[in-house]
Amino acid sequence: MSAPTTPGPAVADLLGLVAFGELLAFERMAGDARLAPDLRRRAALNEMAAAEIANYRRLADRLTSLGVPPENAMAPYLRPLQAYHDSTEPRDWAEVVTKAYVGDAITDDFIREIAGALDEPDRDLVLDVLHDSRYAEFAAAEIRVAVAADARVADRLSMWARRLVGEALSQAGHVAAERAALTALIAQGDRVDVPGLFRRLTAAHTTRMAAVGLNN
Amino acid sequence: MSAPTTPGPAVADLLGLVAFGELLAFERMAGDARLAPDLRRRAALNEMAAAEIANYRRLADRLTSLGVPPENAMAPYLRPLQAYHDSTEPRDWAEVVTKAYVGDAITDDFIREIAGALDEPDRDLVLDVLHDSRYAEFAAAEIRVAVAADARVADRLSMWARRLVGEALSQAGHVAAERAALTALIAQGDRVDVPGLFRRLTAAHTTRMAAVGLNN
């Protein structure tokens, strides 16, 4: 009888990162909802936010079943993820929806890419917490409305999106430098191709920007 | 064949009030989570918050099925509920959990009382959105810890709770004055006894305060 493979510490590192990302995305979207121009949109953003919490719970439960308290697995990411959100505080509704549109999509692309480096059941779990696409459509529609109403908004939001990506990459660099096991997992030769990963993430981001009338 | 009773405008008024209360409680709890002393508590408060959104969705769906856009039914309460939260912004974790403990319980008591004035299916719906009692237990345990750690905290939180109740009553007065149909529904002679309602809400509040070592 062969023992089942026990996931290594890198898996807890990765689940902790995704879990804390969900928790913080939840908090920030809920906090940004007050910037909505009307109650319909305010409720919609809050419902988008709430979807993240169910995902957080699934990841936290998996960590617990691996014998890792979720708060321990999440702790290394507190500073970098908080720093990302603190440095990208939206000032109005158009910035709120652009942040959700750009940030969620890159996060999802990243999760989808590294999920291949995981074994089951973690691979399926991580793939399952991807954002519901109707939220991306809501955010995209809101950006298009904002851009259509005022042409200068496209320039401002394009700049904002570049700042979001820049801040996210900067914090991702800190995480990579500090979490050797996680980085090794993501980089393991035969399963994830890191330069290719960045190329694909960037290409997908550029396509998404164009789809809502923003430039990269 | 007798036509089913169509709920009057007072029902939409009431559902709108409860729905917006859920939405705002959600936002505020999620916004307060950053004050948690650790990630375990931060996640717990966010999960409490997220539970409100599922309730919001049920109420919004019922309003839609009655032909009332949820945002229209909620609009009259935007100012008073926002004013309540703005005037009771917690400064630390003990104030956060006290606000959740005091506010949720009074809200639930109030909802339970007025549900009797509704016909089905609205009565069951409204009774179903009451808070899960494990959240009240979490908040109560946190208050007890804070009070046990420093005796002066009991005085400060008792004063805070009185302020919460005072601000809530003040805003409830504005709502009652402006929403005649709602007030009439709550006050309809044979179903809700208003002076008795206030007496019961106050008595339950006093008991709850004592249960966590606070005075009224």
Side-chain angles (χ1 to χ4, degrees), chain B residues 13-27:
Chain B
D13 265 13
L14 179 63
L15 296 177
L17 170 60
V18 179
F20 191 60
E22 296 282 347
L23 201 60
L24 216 51
F26 165 79
E27 270 182 29

Side-chain angles (χ1 to χ4, degrees), chain B residues 45-70:
Chain B
L45 192 71
N46 280 328
E47 292 196 84
M48 280 173 68
E52 317 267 359
I53 269 293
N55 289 333
Y56 162 77
R57 175 45 44 205
R58 296 182 62 193
L59 294 157
D61 286 346
R62 173 64 179 155
L63 282 162
T64 303
S65 81
L66 292 174
V68 182

Side-chain angles (χ1 to χ4, degrees), chain A residues 20 23-24 26-27 30 33-34 39-40 42-43 46-47 49-50 53 56-57 71 74-75 78 82, chain B residues 20 23-24 26-27 30 33-34 39-40 42-43 46-47 49-50 53 56-57 71 74-75 78 82:
Chain A
F20 191 60
L23 200 59
L24 216 52
F26 164 80
E27 269 182 32
R34 75 195 140 67
L39 278 174
R40 185 184 65 75
R42 184 169 180 165
N46 280 327
E47 292 195 84
I53 268 293
Y56 162 77
R57 174 44 46 205
E71 55 276 21
M74 295 191 293
L78 183 54
Q82 191 80 53
Chain B
F20 191 60
L23 201 60
L24 216 51
F26 165 79
E27 270 182 29
R34 77 195 138 68
L39 278 174
R40 185 184 63 77
R42 185 168 178 165
N46 280 328
E47 292 196 84
I53 269 293
Y56 162 77
R57 175 45 44 205
E71 54 275 22
M74 295 193 292
L78 183 54
Q82 191 80 54

Side-chain angles (χ1 to χ4, degrees), chain A residues 28-215:
Chain A
R28 290 310 174 115
M29 277 199 228
D32 291 343
R34 75 195 140 67
L35 295 172
D38 56 44
L39 278 174
R40 185 184 65 75
R41 292 180 168 97
R42 184 169 180 165
L45 192 70
N46 280 327
E47 292 195 84
M48 279 174 69
E52 315 268 359
I53 268 293
N55 289 334
Y56 162 77
R57 174 44 46 205
R58 295 181 62 193
L59 294 158
D61 286 346
R62 173 63 179 156
L63 282 163
T64 303
S65 81
L66 292 174
V68 182
E71 55 276 21
N72 294 7
M74 295 191 293
Y77 310 109
L78 183 54
R79 216 169 29 169
L81 286 184
Q82 191 80 53
Y84 166 71
H85 284 293
D86 287 348
S87 65
T88 57
E89 190 84 61
R91 285 164 309 171
D92 62 18
W93 178 245
E95 292 191 356
V96 167
V97 288
T98 303
K99 182 170 172 177
Y101 179 73
V102 167
D104 282 0
I106 291 191
T107 306
D108 285 354
D109 285 349
F110 175 72
I111 291 175
R112 216 177 275 115
E113 291 270 357
I114 58 176
L118 293 172
D119 296 313
E120 296 301 353
D122 297 302
R123 187 191 300 159
D124 263 6
L125 171 59
V126 161
L127 285 174
D128 251 21
V129 305
L130 299 179
H131 294 83
D132 190 325
S133 63
R134 76 201 141 104
Y135 296 131
E137 282 152 26
F138 169 78
E142 291 295 306
I143 297 170
R144 286 193 198 98
V145 167
V147 168
D150 180 350
R152 286 162 308 176
V153 170
D155 287 336
R156 180 164 71 83
L157 293 182
S158 297
M159 202 181 306
W160 171 243
R162 285 193 293 274
R163 207 175 113 207
L164 293 170
V165 173
E167 293 286 347
L169 284 180
S170 153
Q171 297 305 331
H174 289 301
V175 169
E178 281 167 31
R179 307 301 297 171
L182 177 65
T183 311
L185 171 75
I186 296 171
Q188 61 187 261
D190 58 330
R191 299 177 84 169
V192 178
D193 152 32
V194 175
L197 183 151
F198 276 93
R199 216 161 37 233
R200 289 188 297 275
L201 292 184
T202 308
H205 170 68
T206 305
T207 306
R208 274 191 305 269
M209 294 284 280
V212 292
L214 302 184
N215 55 68

Side-chain angles (χ1 to χ4, degrees), chain B residues 4-204:
Chain B
T5 321
T6 306
V11 173
D13 265 13
L14 179 63
L15 296 177
L17 170 60
V18 179
F20 191 60
E22 296 282 347
L23 201 60
L24 216 51
F26 165 79
E27 270 182 29
R28 290 309 174 116
M29 277 199 232
D32 291 344
R34 77 195 138 68
L35 295 172
D38 57 44
L39 278 174
R40 185 184 63 77
R41 291 180 169 96
R42 185 168 178 165
L45 192 71
N46 280 328
E47 292 196 84
M48 280 173 68
E52 317 267 359
I53 269 293
N55 289 333
Y56 162 77
R57 175 45 44 205
R58 296 182 62 193
L59 294 157
D61 286 346
R62 173 64 179 155
L63 282 162
T64 303
S65 81
L66 292 174
V68 182
E71 54 275 22
N72 294 8
M74 295 193 292
Y77 309 109
L78 183 54
R79 213 169 33 168
L81 286 184
Q82 191 80 54
Y84 166 71
H85 284 291
D86 287 349
S87 64
T88 58
E89 190 84 61
R91 285 164 309 170
D92 61 19
W93 179 244
E95 292 190 356
V96 167
V97 289
T98 303
K99 183 170 172 178
Y101 178 73
V102 167
D104 282 0
I106 291 189
T107 306
D108 285 353
D109 285 350
F110 174 73
I111 291 174
R112 215 176 275 114
E113 291 269 356
I114 58 177
L118 293 172
D119 295 314
E120 295 301 353
D122 297 302
R123 188 192 299 159
D124 263 5
L125 171 60
V126 161
L127 285 174
D128 252 20
V129 305
L130 299 179
H131 294 82
D132 190 324
S133 62
R134 77 202 140 104
Y135 297 131
E137 282 152 28
F138 169 78
E142 292 295 306
I143 297 170
R144 286 193 198 100
V145 167
V147 167
D150 180 349
R152 286 163 308 178
V153 169
D155 286 337
R156 179 164 71 83
L157 293 181
S158 298
M159 202 180 306
W160 170 243
R162 286 194 292 276
R163 209 176 112 207
L164 293 170
V165 173
E167 292 287 346
L169 285 179
S170 153
Q171 297 304 333
H174 288 302
V175 169
E178 281 167 30
R179 308 300 299 171
L182 176 65
T183 311
L185 171 76
I186 296 171
Q188 61 188 258
D190 58 331
R191 298 178 86 171
V192 178
D193 152 32
V194 175
L197 183 152
F198 276 92
R199 217 163 34 236
R200 288 188 298 276
L201 291 184
T202 308

